[in-house]
Amino acid sequence: MSRAKLAALGRTSWDTALEILTRHACAWADLDGFHLGDAPRAVPLTTHVWAWRDTRLLRLRVDRTECVIGLLDLDPAADGEEVDVTTRHSQTWPLGEGRVGVADEWRSRSVTLYEVAGLMPLTFARLNGGLT
């Protein structure tokens, strides 16, 4: 277990979220598949967008044209509430697994999950070996 700083950036419009997501790698899944890259210009048809750069991890809960943004910063000098974080190393969908329709390029990829326990547990994610 490690310590990190958690900040609630609150409910915001997608346009404001795009400003926050500048220079972050973003990952989300929608009806067209799994995506990794810059944030989509239009609100994606998804429930969550995960984003990261350096020590910063963002978790966006998408709700129609708005989203609720949480920020977890692994830098102990960052602003925010100090929280305990459990780090888990996992993989995306395994090759040959047929329940999820994603391209093979997204299968068996390394991903790091950062879990913040509490009354409302939060999970932040970083896809490894791709954009940083």
Side-chain angles (χ1 to χ4, degrees):
M1 189 168 309
S2 61
R3 304 289 280 170
K5 296 293 182 81
L6 179 66
L9 303 185
R11 181 174 289 276
T12 185
S13 69
W14 186 252
D15 287 339
T16 300
L18 285 174
E19 294 173 22
I20 295 168
L21 291 169
T22 301
R23 297 187 325 270
H24 287 77
C26 298
W28 70 98
D30 61 20
L31 297 175
D32 294 322
F34 187 78
H35 307 275
L36 175 66
D38 293 334
R41 302 312 306 161
V43 181
L45 182 58
T46 190
T47 58
H48 289 83
V49 174
W50 292 272
W52 58 90
R53 78 165 197 236
D54 306 320
T55 62
R56 292 169 48 105
L57 299 143
L58 295 165
R59 177 188 185 274
L60 289 76
R61 172 66 172 94
V62 180
D63 185 14
R64 296 185 184 210
T65 61
E66 298 180 319
C67 57
V68 178
I69 305 175
L71 165 64
L72 183 69
D73 202 319
L74 306 177
D75 180 351
D79 291 332
E81 175 188 350
E82 192 168 16
V83 293
D84 289 323
V85 177
T86 300
T87 303
R88 300 186 193 283
H89 301 282
S90 188
Q91 287 191 333
T92 59
W93 312 273
L95 282 169
E97 186 275 338
R99 294 175 295 159
V100 177
V102 296
D104 283 349
E105 68 181 303
W106 303 122
R107 295 188 178 276
S108 298
R109 297 274 302 264
S110 172
V111 62
T112 304
L113 304 173
Y114 302 85
E115 299 172 354
V116 179
L119 293 175
M120 295 182 63
L122 298 171
T123 300
F124 295 81
R126 177 190 306 262
L127 189 64
N128 303 315
L131 302 172
T132 56

